[in-house]
Structures are given as C-alpha cells and as structure tokens.
Amino acid sequence: MNDFGFVGPFAEELAAHITLKRAVGYRYRTDEGKLRAFDSFTAEHYSNTTVLTREIVLAWCAKTAWETDANRCARASVLRQFALYLHQTGKEAFVLPNGFYPAGEQYIPHIYTDDELYRFFEQTDRCHEVSECPYRHLVMPVFFRMIYSCGLRCSEARLLKYGNVNLENGVLQILNSKNDRSRVVPMPASLTERCRIYAEQVHFRPDENAWFFPGMYGREITPTNAYHNFRRFLHQAGISHGGRGKGPRIHDFRHTFACRCLKRWSAEGRDLNAWLPVLKAYMGHDSFADTAYYLRLTADVYPEIHSKLNSVFPAVIPELEVHDEETD
C-alpha cells in the first residue's frame, strides 16, 4: 500500500508522480484530488490494466452532464501530465494532444464601475450576524474590501492567518499561493485602519495561527461560503448576474484593481515600463505575460488610454483569452 492510499492499477505511479511534483515545490492539492478520482475510476473499470491506453484516457476525459468545458479541460490536463510522467519514466502511455478539448466560451472579465463598487460594499456593511458564524457581519465588509483593495485572489484572503497580517505596518504576508509563490503585499492606509478596528472586535485574544477571517464554527471561509455571500451582496446591490460562467465574479475585483492601477498610472504620466514589473510583483504573477494581459483589458475597458498604452507596449498587448477563477 502506498502512502496516498491509491488502490487502482496505477497506484504506485500516481504516488510517485505526486511526490515528484511536491519535491520540486508544487503543493499539488487540487490536482491530487483529480488523480484520486482517476484512481477510483480505473480501480472500478480497468483494474487489470498495466498500460494507460487511449481507451482509458478518453473514457476518463468524457464530459459529464453536470460539468463545464473548462472543468473537463482541467481534468484532461492533469491526466496528460501524468501520462507525460509515465513516458519520462520509460513506461508506455497514451498522451492526450495538448488542446485536444475546447475550453468553451471565453469569459470577458467584468470591470466594476465606481457606482457598482459603492453599492456592493454598502451591502457588505449591512451584513448581519448568524449563530453559526457570529462574526460574519464584521468579516464580510473587510474580507471583500481586502480582495479589491489589494488585488488578491479569493483564496489568498480566505487562508490568511492572524500572524500573516501585520497591523502595525499594514502589510500582508501571502504564503504559498498560486504556483507556490509567496509575497508581501502592502495595504492602503484606509484598509489597514479598518483591519485594526476589525481585529480588536474579532481577535481580542490574538492567536498567530487563527484564521484572520473566521468562517462557520471558527474554521476558514470556504470557497462556497465566499461565493454565496458574494452573490447575495451582488443581488442586494442590484448588480445583474449573467448566470453560471457569466459573472460578475469575485475574481473580477482583482481584474478591476489591476486595470484601475494601470489607468491611474497612465493618467499620471508614469513610465509603465518601470511600473508594470511593480504590478507583476504586487499581484504575484508568475510571468510578465500574466501582467501584460491587463494592458489589453485596460485598453478595452478604458478606450481613452488605448493609444497611450499601445504606444508604450505595441507588441506586448495580447488578445483577451479565457481567464478562469483564481487563475491569474
């Protein structure tokens, strides 16, 4: 029996693959979950196989009735990486061609207007407490303001510990985020002050390991809980939601933050060649291409600065592509 508890025909290979991923610095938690499902699938349907065949790969990647194209692509991508690992270790395996499955309809990020931001945060301030989550009315106004004001991914705010928030200097310590990157994020002065007041009300007995934003029964806020609260505030603010996969989304606060930074810097006449790397570091992007994405988005949303951005980065501004939740 391997340490991961895999029981299918590829149990040892799956365990070794995940171990290698983590050895080179990846957390590999979400992908491990997908591989666990694959292990159960093969244990049930292909228990006697010794080769990862085309039949197995296509059967596993078949789209279910309840999932999106993007989710199917994510499952296929994880299995493709496992197949490549098998090849590299000298084993026979069918490697799904890259881009074999379409990602589906492209999502164009929603950039919140000043009025929408005002109405949304006004509703968070009206949030009331519930017995299972007595601090909800205190958590939500600060939680969503932090995501927007600091351009955070939702998971980065959800998983903050009290010890990661320096209330004296107004600095957040983001640990092991996407691609296991860590960074330091300065907060605006107004948010720092709001966090100090919040901490006095919620963390009156400071514990470095306590969740800065406690959810139900003191546990961390779950993605589902964050999303349900977001949708409620959105509805109360009168901001239309287009349905599943249409948005607006929580992650669009991060998009809005980046676009507003670029718009402000452009209006102030700052040298974007110097400031774009600052935005890259602040947002924790892995590559310049991730940050350059916002050049196109900013130019499209604020056409009045299109020519200025294009003159500075004529060959860098990319076409808009799919950007799923928590991806950039």
Side-chain angles (χ1 to χ4, degrees), residues 12-30:
E12 298 303 323
E13 291 87 348
L14 287 168
H17 175 57
I18 294 172
T19 299
L20 178 61
K21 285 289 188 181
R22 289 180 175 161
V24 297
Y26 292 99
R27 283 184 298 174
Y28 217 68
R29 294 173 184 170
T30 301

Side-chain angles (χ1 to χ4, degrees), residues 80 191 294:
R80 182 176 185 274
L191 179 63
Y294 289 110

